[in-house]
Amino acid sequence: MPRRSVLVGSIAAVVVVVAAVGAFFLLAPQGPREVKLEMWEFGFNGPSGGPEIRARVGETVRFVLTNRGGTDHEFMIVKDLDGFREALRKTVNELREKGLDQEAIMESEEVEMLHHKYSAIELMVDGKMEHELELEPGESVTVTVTFDRPGTYYYVCAELTLTFPESHLDREMFGKIIVEG
Ligand SMILES: [Cu+2]
């Protein structure tokens, strides 16, 4: 075979391979975007706060949560961050005034109800819808969240362990989620 034909043949082969790889990535089903969040005292991926997450309306994001800290941490998504924080403070104080101890307050119906009231987006875990999740130290959970409406949301931890009567939210354990239409 003349040298030129070999060269043309090689180029053609490279073009075919590049086109095939390109088509594979274009046509392969794109899974939900994955966001890894490590929980620490008292932040996500660090000692305070958490990374800002941007999503599009209709997008599904898979959160891989791992509790790397030494105490329990929570995960839920709220819209009214200040309202939730204030309501939690008020409820905890009212229950303390009634004489309830930390354990009783953490397991109280009142605190549970607040989580339900302020949860803005449901979390899908193993095929089940949840308002909030609680992870023990070392635990890891994958959560799927679909953002149906535009707006600003916050993923938060409102645990009371170690910080009682304050919550982890009072130590800035939250991050912003911006959902664009
Ligand atoms: Cu926490």
Side-chain angles (χ1 to χ4, degrees):
M1 207 190 261
R3 276 181 82 97
R4 207 178 143 160
S5 297
V6 171
L7 183 63
V8 170
S10 304
I11 291 170
V14 168
V15 168
V16 167
V17 168
V18 168
V21 169
F24 173 78
F25 280 106
L26 277 177
L27 300 175
Q30 300 279 311
R33 187 154 55 99
E34 202 169 275
V35 174
K36 287 191 168 75
L37 291 176
E38 293 192 341
M39 301 150 124
W40 298 94
E41 286 85 56
F42 296 97
F44 294 90
N45 293 357
S48 182
E52 185 178 295
I53 294 160
R54 284 183 177 264
R56 293 222 154 259
V57 170
E59 189 180 352
T60 297
V61 177
R62 189 158 46 200
F63 291 92
V64 181
L65 309 171
T66 306
N67 184 351
R68 300 265 183 224
T71 192
D72 289 359
H73 289 290
E74 274 179 19
F75 183 83
M76 66 182 278
I77 298 176
V78 304
K79 187 142 187 60
D80 184 1
L81 179 77
D82 292 333
F84 181 43
R85 185 162 41 197
E86 283 309 312
L88 192 60
R89 279 181 192 154
K90 189 167 168 268
T91 300
V92 168
N93 285 333
E94 281 169 4
L95 294 174
R96 286 178 84 204
E97 279 164 21
K98 283 186 189 167
L100 273 73
D101 65 10
Q102 180 180 338
E103 190 80 5
I105 291 172
M106 282 169 53
E107 285 169 11
S108 69
E109 210 171 279
E110 288 88 340
V111 168
E112 172 83 20
M113 291 279 283
L114 278 185
H115 282 81
H116 279 242
K117 185 180 169 191
Y118 283 91
S119 156
I121 299 181
E122 299 212 309
L123 316 168
M124 182 73 97
V125 185
D126 294 333
K128 276 196 289 181
M129 288 292 202
E130 306 278 359
H131 289 289
E132 50 136 351
L133 300 171
E134 205 171 303
L135 280 79
E136 290 175 6
E139 206 179 340
S140 190
V141 175
T142 299
V143 189
T144 306
V145 180
T146 301
F147 297 98
D148 292 328
R149 269 173 284 182
T152 301
Y153 299 85
Y154 301 89
Y155 58 96
V156 307
C157 172
E159 245 312 317
L160 296 164
T161 54
L162 294 185
T163 51
F164 185 83
E166 290 192 324
S167 69
H168 295 188
L169 196 48
D170 288 313
R171 304 292 178 92
E172 308 295 298
M173 191 166 178
F174 65 89
K176 197 186 263 188
I177 302 172
I178 297 168
V179 182
E180 290 164 317

Short mmCIF file of all heavy atoms in Angstrom, two decimals, residues 63-109:
data_model
loop_
_atom_site.label_atom_id
_atom_site.label_comp_id
_atom_site.label_asym_id
_atom_site.label_seq_id
_atom_site.Cartn_x
_atom_site.Cartn_y
_atom_site.Cartn_z
N PHE A 63 -27.80 13.79 46.17
CA PHE A 63 -26.91 14.21 47.25
C PHE A 63 -26.34 12.97 47.92
O PHE A 63 -27.10 12.10 48.37
CB PHE A 63 -27.66 15.03 48.30
CG PHE A 63 -28.11 16.38 47.82
CD1 PHE A 63 -29.36 16.56 47.27
CD2 PHE A 63 -27.26 17.48 47.91
CE1 PHE A 63 -29.78 17.81 46.82
CE2 PHE A 63 -27.67 18.73 47.48
CZ PHE A 63 -28.92 18.90 46.92
N VAL A 64 -25.04 12.91 47.99
CA VAL A 64 -24.39 11.81 48.72
C VAL A 64 -23.92 12.40 50.05
O VAL A 64 -22.98 13.19 50.09
CB VAL A 64 -23.23 11.20 47.92
CG1 VAL A 64 -22.59 10.06 48.71
CG2 VAL A 64 -23.71 10.71 46.57
N LEU A 65 -24.63 12.07 51.11
CA LEU A 65 -24.36 12.64 52.43
C LEU A 65 -23.54 11.66 53.25
O LEU A 65 -23.87 10.48 53.32
CB LEU A 65 -25.67 12.90 53.18
CG LEU A 65 -26.76 13.68 52.46
CD1 LEU A 65 -28.04 13.63 53.27
CD2 LEU A 65 -26.31 15.12 52.26
N THR A 66 -22.51 12.17 53.88
CA THR A 66 -21.71 11.33 54.78
C THR A 66 -21.45 12.11 56.06
O THR A 66 -20.99 13.25 56.01
CB THR A 66 -20.37 10.94 54.13
OG1 THR A 66 -20.65 10.33 52.87
CG2 THR A 66 -19.61 9.95 55.00
N ASN A 67 -21.79 11.51 57.18
CA ASN A 67 -21.52 12.17 58.45
C ASN A 67 -20.10 11.83 58.90
O ASN A 67 -19.81 10.72 59.32
CB ASN A 67 -22.53 11.71 59.50
CG ASN A 67 -22.36 12.45 60.81
OD1 ASN A 67 -21.39 13.18 61.01
ND2 ASN A 67 -23.30 12.26 61.72
N ARG A 68 -19.21 12.80 58.75
CA ARG A 68 -17.80 12.61 59.14
C ARG A 68 -17.54 13.14 60.55
O ARG A 68 -16.41 13.13 61.03
CB ARG A 68 -16.88 13.38 58.17
CG ARG A 68 -17.00 12.94 56.74
CD ARG A 68 -15.95 11.91 56.39
NE ARG A 68 -16.04 11.55 54.99
CZ ARG A 68 -15.98 10.30 54.55
NH1 ARG A 68 -15.80 9.31 55.38
NH2 ARG A 68 -16.07 10.04 53.27
N GLY A 69 -18.60 13.68 61.16
CA GLY A 69 -18.43 14.30 62.48
C GLY A 69 -18.51 13.29 63.61
O GLY A 69 -18.57 12.08 63.40
N GLY A 70 -18.56 13.83 64.80
CA GLY A 70 -18.58 13.00 66.00
C GLY A 70 -19.94 13.00 66.67
O GLY A 70 -20.08 12.50 67.79
N THR A 71 -20.94 13.59 66.02
CA THR A 71 -22.29 13.60 66.58
C THR A 71 -23.31 13.46 65.45
O THR A 71 -22.93 13.49 64.28
CB THR A 71 -22.52 14.90 67.39
OG1 THR A 71 -23.72 14.76 68.15
CG2 THR A 71 -22.63 16.13 66.50
N ASP A 72 -24.58 13.31 65.81
CA ASP A 72 -25.62 13.18 64.78
C ASP A 72 -25.76 14.49 64.00
O ASP A 72 -25.59 15.57 64.55
CB ASP A 72 -26.97 12.87 65.44
CG ASP A 72 -27.02 11.45 66.00
OD1 ASP A 72 -26.01 10.73 65.86
OD2 ASP A 72 -28.06 11.09 66.57
N HIS A 73 -26.10 14.35 62.72
CA HIS A 73 -26.41 15.53 61.91
C HIS A 73 -27.65 15.23 61.09
O HIS A 73 -27.96 14.08 60.79
CB HIS A 73 -25.24 15.90 60.99
CG HIS A 73 -24.08 16.47 61.73
ND1 HIS A 73 -24.12 17.72 62.33
CD2 HIS A 73 -22.85 15.97 62.00
CE1 HIS A 73 -22.95 17.95 62.93
NE2 HIS A 73 -22.17 16.90 62.75
N GLU A 74 -28.34 16.32 60.71
CA GLU A 74 -29.59 16.20 59.96
C GLU A 74 -29.44 16.80 58.58
O GLU A 74 -28.55 17.61 58.34
CB GLU A 74 -30.67 17.07 60.64
CG GLU A 74 -31.42 16.43 61.74
CD GLU A 74 -32.42 17.40 62.33
OE1 GLU A 74 -32.77 18.41 61.68
OE2 GLU A 74 -32.84 17.16 63.46
N PHE A 75 -30.37 16.43 57.72
CA PHE A 75 -30.42 17.04 56.40
C PHE A 75 -31.88 17.26 56.04
O PHE A 75 -32.69 16.32 56.07
CB PHE A 75 -29.77 16.12 55.36
CG PHE A 75 -29.72 16.71 53.97
CD1 PHE A 75 -28.70 17.59 53.60
CD2 PHE A 75 -30.68 16.39 53.03
CE1 PHE A 75 -28.64 18.12 52.33
CE2 PHE A 75 -30.63 16.92 51.74
CZ PHE A 75 -29.61 17.79 51.39
N MET A 76 -32.22 18.50 55.75
CA MET A 76 -33.55 18.80 55.21
C MET A 76 -33.43 20.07 54.37
O MET A 76 -32.44 20.78 54.46
CB MET A 76 -34.62 18.94 56.31
CG MET A 76 -34.44 20.11 57.24
SD MET A 76 -35.71 20.16 58.55
CE MET A 76 -37.09 20.94 57.73
N ILE A 77 -34.44 20.31 53.53
CA ILE A 77 -34.40 21.49 52.67
C ILE A 77 -35.57 22.39 53.04
O ILE A 77 -36.73 21.96 53.06
CB ILE A 77 -34.45 21.09 51.18
CG1 ILE A 77 -33.21 20.24 50.84
CG2 ILE A 77 -34.51 22.34 50.29
CD1 ILE A 77 -33.18 19.70 49.43
N VAL A 78 -35.25 23.64 53.37
CA VAL A 78 -36.27 24.62 53.77
C VAL A 78 -36.25 25.82 52.83
O VAL A 78 -35.28 26.02 52.08
CB VAL A 78 -36.06 25.10 55.23
CG1 VAL A 78 -36.03 23.95 56.20
CG2 VAL A 78 -34.80 25.95 55.36
N LYS A 79 -37.32 26.59 52.87
CA LYS A 79 -37.35 27.84 52.10
C LYS A 79 -37.18 29.02 53.06
O LYS A 79 -36.38 29.90 52.84
CB LYS A 79 -38.69 27.93 51.33
CG LYS A 79 -38.75 29.07 50.38
CD LYS A 79 -39.48 28.68 49.09
CE LYS A 79 -39.41 29.79 48.06
NZ LYS A 79 -38.03 30.13 47.69
N ASP A 80 -37.95 28.96 54.16
CA ASP A 80 -37.91 30.04 55.14
C ASP A 80 -36.89 29.71 56.23
O ASP A 80 -37.24 29.23 57.31
CB ASP A 80 -39.32 30.21 55.74
CG ASP A 80 -39.41 31.37 56.70
OD1 ASP A 80 -38.39 32.08 56.90
OD2 ASP A 80 -40.51 31.58 57.26
N LEU A 81 -35.63 29.99 55.93
CA LEU A 81 -34.54 29.66 56.85
C LEU A 81 -34.68 30.38 58.19
O LEU A 81 -34.60 29.77 59.25
CB LEU A 81 -33.19 30.02 56.20
CG LEU A 81 -31.95 29.77 57.04
CD1 LEU A 81 -31.60 28.29 57.07
CD2 LEU A 81 -30.77 30.56 56.51
N ASP A 82 -34.89 31.70 58.13
CA ASP A 82 -34.99 32.49 59.37
C ASP A 82 -36.21 32.08 60.19
O ASP A 82 -36.15 32.00 61.41
CB ASP A 82 -35.05 34.00 59.06
CG ASP A 82 -33.73 34.48 58.49
OD1 ASP A 82 -32.68 33.86 58.79
OD2 ASP A 82 -33.73 35.47 57.73
N GLY A 83 -37.32 31.83 59.48
CA GLY A 83 -38.55 31.41 60.16
C GLY A 83 -38.35 30.10 60.90
O GLY A 83 -38.78 29.96 62.06
N PHE A 84 -37.69 29.16 60.26
CA PHE A 84 -37.44 27.84 60.86
C PHE A 84 -36.52 27.99 62.09
O PHE A 84 -36.80 27.45 63.16
CB PHE A 84 -36.81 26.91 59.83
CG PHE A 84 -36.53 25.51 60.33
CD1 PHE A 84 -37.46 24.83 61.11
CD2 PHE A 84 -35.35 24.87 60.00
CE1 PHE A 84 -37.21 23.54 61.56
CE2 PHE A 84 -35.09 23.58 60.46
CZ PHE A 84 -36.02 22.92 61.24
N ARG A 85 -35.45 28.75 61.93
CA ARG A 85 -34.50 28.93 63.02
C ARG A 85 -35.16 29.57 64.24
O ARG A 85 -34.98 29.13 65.37
CB ARG A 85 -33.31 29.78 62.52
CG ARG A 85 -32.22 29.93 63.53
CD ARG A 85 -30.90 30.37 62.90
NE ARG A 85 -31.08 31.40 61.88
CZ ARG A 85 -30.15 31.71 60.98
NH1 ARG A 85 -28.99 31.09 60.97
NH2 ARG A 85 -30.37 32.63 60.09
N GLU A 86 -35.95 30.63 63.96
CA GLU A 86 -36.64 31.34 65.05
C GLU A 86 -37.66 30.44 65.73
O GLU A 86 -37.77 30.42 66.96
CB GLU A 86 -37.33 32.60 64.51
CG GLU A 86 -36.37 33.76 64.24
CD GLU A 86 -35.46 34.06 65.43
OE1 GLU A 86 -35.98 34.16 66.57
OE2 GLU A 86 -34.23 34.15 65.24
N ALA A 87 -38.45 29.71 64.93
CA ALA A 87 -39.50 28.84 65.48
C ALA A 87 -38.87 27.74 66.34
O ALA A 87 -39.40 27.38 67.39
CB ALA A 87 -40.31 28.24 64.35
N LEU A 88 -37.72 27.23 65.90
CA LEU A 88 -37.03 26.17 66.64
C LEU A 88 -36.53 26.71 67.99
O LEU A 88 -36.72 26.08 69.04
CB LEU A 88 -35.87 25.63 65.80
CG LEU A 88 -35.21 24.35 66.27
CD1 LEU A 88 -36.20 23.19 66.33
CD2 LEU A 88 -34.04 23.97 65.37
N ARG A 89 -35.93 27.91 67.96
CA ARG A 89 -35.45 28.53 69.21
C ARG A 89 -36.61 28.71 70.20
O ARG A 89 -36.48 28.38 71.37
CB ARG A 89 -34.86 29.92 68.91
CG ARG A 89 -33.45 29.90 68.40
CD ARG A 89 -32.99 31.33 68.16
NE ARG A 89 -31.74 31.35 67.41
CZ ARG A 89 -31.34 32.35 66.65
NH1 ARG A 89 -32.10 33.42 66.52
NH2 ARG A 89 -30.19 32.30 66.01
N LYS A 90 -37.71 29.26 69.66
CA LYS A 90 -38.88 29.56 70.49
C LYS A 90 -39.45 28.27 71.10
O LYS A 90 -39.69 28.21 72.31
CB LYS A 90 -39.93 30.26 69.62
CG LYS A 90 -41.10 30.83 70.35
CD LYS A 90 -41.88 31.77 69.42
CE LYS A 90 -43.22 32.13 70.02
NZ LYS A 90 -44.29 31.23 69.62
N THR A 91 -39.60 27.26 70.28
CA THR A 91 -40.17 25.99 70.75
C THR A 91 -39.28 25.34 71.80
O THR A 91 -39.76 24.87 72.83
CB THR A 91 -40.38 25.04 69.54
OG1 THR A 91 -41.27 25.69 68.64
CG2 THR A 91 -40.97 23.72 69.96
N VAL A 92 -37.95 25.32 71.54
CA VAL A 92 -37.02 24.71 72.49
C VAL A 92 -37.10 25.44 73.83
O VAL A 92 -37.16 24.82 74.90
CB VAL A 92 -35.58 24.69 71.92
CG1 VAL A 92 -34.57 24.34 73.00
CG2 VAL A 92 -35.46 23.70 70.77
N ASN A 93 -37.14 26.77 73.78
CA ASN A 93 -37.21 27.55 75.02
C ASN A 93 -38.50 27.31 75.77
O ASN A 93 -38.49 27.17 77.00
CB ASN A 93 -37.02 29.05 74.73
CG ASN A 93 -35.56 29.36 74.43
OD1 ASN A 93 -34.66 28.66 74.90
ND2 ASN A 93 -35.32 30.40 73.65
N GLU A 94 -39.60 27.23 75.04
CA GLU A 94 -40.90 26.98 75.69
C GLU A 94 -40.90 25.61 76.38
O GLU A 94 -41.39 25.48 77.50
CB GLU A 94 -42.03 27.03 74.66
CG GLU A 94 -42.43 28.46 74.30
CD GLU A 94 -43.35 28.53 73.08
OE1 GLU A 94 -43.75 27.47 72.56
OE2 GLU A 94 -43.64 29.66 72.65
N LEU A 95 -40.33 24.62 75.72
CA LEU A 95 -40.30 23.27 76.30
C LEU A 95 -39.36 23.21 77.51
O LEU A 95 -39.62 22.48 78.47
CB LEU A 95 -39.91 22.24 75.23
CG LEU A 95 -40.91 22.06 74.08
CD1 LEU A 95 -40.36 21.12 73.02
CD2 LEU A 95 -42.25 21.53 74.60
N ARG A 96 -38.29 23.99 77.46
CA ARG A 96 -37.37 24.04 78.62
C ARG A 96 -38.06 24.66 79.82
O ARG A 96 -37.90 24.23 80.95
CB ARG A 96 -36.12 24.86 78.28
CG ARG A 96 -35.17 24.13 77.35
CD ARG A 96 -34.00 25.01 77.03
NE ARG A 96 -32.97 24.93 78.07
CZ ARG A 96 -32.08 25.88 78.30
NH1 ARG A 96 -32.09 27.00 77.60
NH2 ARG A 96 -31.17 25.73 79.23
N GLU A 97 -38.84 25.73 79.52
CA GLU A 97 -39.57 26.40 80.60
C GLU A 97 -40.59 25.46 81.23
O GLU A 97 -40.91 25.58 82.40
CB GLU A 97 -40.26 27.67 80.07
CG GLU A 97 -39.29 28.83 79.99
CD GLU A 97 -39.78 29.98 79.13
OE1 GLU A 97 -41.00 30.07 78.90
OE2 GLU A 97 -38.92 30.77 78.67
N LYS A 98 -41.08 24.51 80.43
CA LYS A 98 -42.03 23.53 80.96
C LYS A 98 -41.31 22.43 81.74
O LYS A 98 -41.94 21.54 82.29
CB LYS A 98 -42.80 22.87 79.81
CG LYS A 98 -43.90 23.72 79.22
CD LYS A 98 -44.68 22.89 78.20
CE LYS A 98 -45.66 23.76 77.43
NZ LYS A 98 -46.19 23.04 76.27
N GLY A 99 -39.97 22.46 81.73
CA GLY A 99 -39.20 21.50 82.51
C GLY A 99 -38.71 20.28 81.75
O GLY A 99 -38.17 19.35 82.35
N LEU A 100 -38.88 20.25 80.44
CA LEU A 100 -38.40 19.10 79.66
C LEU A 100 -36.88 19.15 79.52
O LEU A 100 -36.30 20.24 79.38
CB LEU A 100 -39.03 19.10 78.26
CG LEU A 100 -40.40 18.40 78.13
CD1 LEU A 100 -41.49 19.23 78.77
CD2 LEU A 100 -40.73 18.17 76.66
N ASP A 101 -36.23 17.98 79.57
CA ASP A 101 -34.78 17.96 79.38
C ASP A 101 -34.43 17.83 77.89
O ASP A 101 -35.33 17.69 77.05
CB ASP A 101 -34.13 16.84 80.21
CG ASP A 101 -34.55 15.44 79.77
OD1 ASP A 101 -35.20 15.31 78.71
OD2 ASP A 101 -34.22 14.49 80.49
N GLN A 102 -33.13 17.88 77.61
CA GLN A 102 -32.67 17.87 76.21
C GLN A 102 -33.21 16.68 75.42
O GLN A 102 -33.75 16.85 74.32
CB GLN A 102 -31.13 17.83 76.19
CG GLN A 102 -30.56 17.82 74.78
CD GLN A 102 -29.04 17.78 74.76
OE1 GLN A 102 -28.39 18.16 75.72
NE2 GLN A 102 -28.48 17.32 73.66
N GLU A 103 -33.11 15.50 76.01
CA GLU A 103 -33.57 14.28 75.33
C GLU A 103 -35.05 14.37 74.98
O GLU A 103 -35.46 14.09 73.86
CB GLU A 103 -33.32 13.08 76.27
CG GLU A 103 -33.52 11.73 75.64
CD GLU A 103 -32.30 11.30 74.81
OE1 GLU A 103 -31.29 12.02 74.80
OE2 GLU A 103 -32.40 10.26 74.18
N ALA A 104 -35.84 14.80 75.96
CA ALA A 104 -37.30 14.88 75.78
C ALA A 104 -37.65 15.93 74.72
O ALA A 104 -38.57 15.74 73.91
CB ALA A 104 -37.98 15.22 77.10
N ILE A 105 -36.89 17.03 74.72
CA ILE A 105 -37.15 18.09 73.74
C ILE A 105 -36.81 17.60 72.33
O ILE A 105 -37.55 17.80 71.38
CB ILE A 105 -36.37 19.38 74.10
CG1 ILE A 105 -36.95 19.99 75.37
CG2 ILE A 105 -36.39 20.38 72.94
CD1 ILE A 105 -36.17 21.13 75.95
N MET A 106 -35.65 16.91 72.22
CA MET A 106 -35.23 16.43 70.90
C MET A 106 -36.21 15.42 70.32
O MET A 106 -36.35 15.31 69.11
CB MET A 106 -33.82 15.83 70.99
CG MET A 106 -32.75 16.91 71.03
SD MET A 106 -31.10 16.31 71.45
CE MET A 106 -30.87 15.01 70.30
N GLU A 107 -36.87 14.69 71.20
CA GLU A 107 -37.82 13.69 70.71
C GLU A 107 -39.27 14.17 70.76
O GLU A 107 -40.19 13.39 70.51
CB GLU A 107 -37.67 12.40 71.54
CG GLU A 107 -36.41 11.66 71.14
CD GLU A 107 -36.06 10.52 72.08
OE1 GLU A 107 -36.91 10.16 72.92
OE2 GLU A 107 -34.93 10.01 71.97
N SER A 108 -39.46 15.44 71.09
CA SER A 108 -40.83 15.95 71.26
C SER A 108 -41.58 16.07 69.93
O SER A 108 -40.98 16.24 68.87
CB SER A 108 -40.79 17.32 71.94
OG SER A 108 -40.22 18.27 71.05
N GLU A 109 -42.89 16.00 70.08
CA GLU A 109 -43.77 16.14 68.92
C GLU A 109 -43.66 17.56 68.35
O GLU A 109 -43.71 17.76 67.14
CB GLU A 109 -45.21 15.90 69.40
CG GLU A 109 -46.11 15.33 68.35
CD GLU A 109 -47.44 14.91 68.94
OE1 GLU A 109 -47.51 13.82 69.53
OE2 GLU A 109 -48.36 15.72 68.84
#
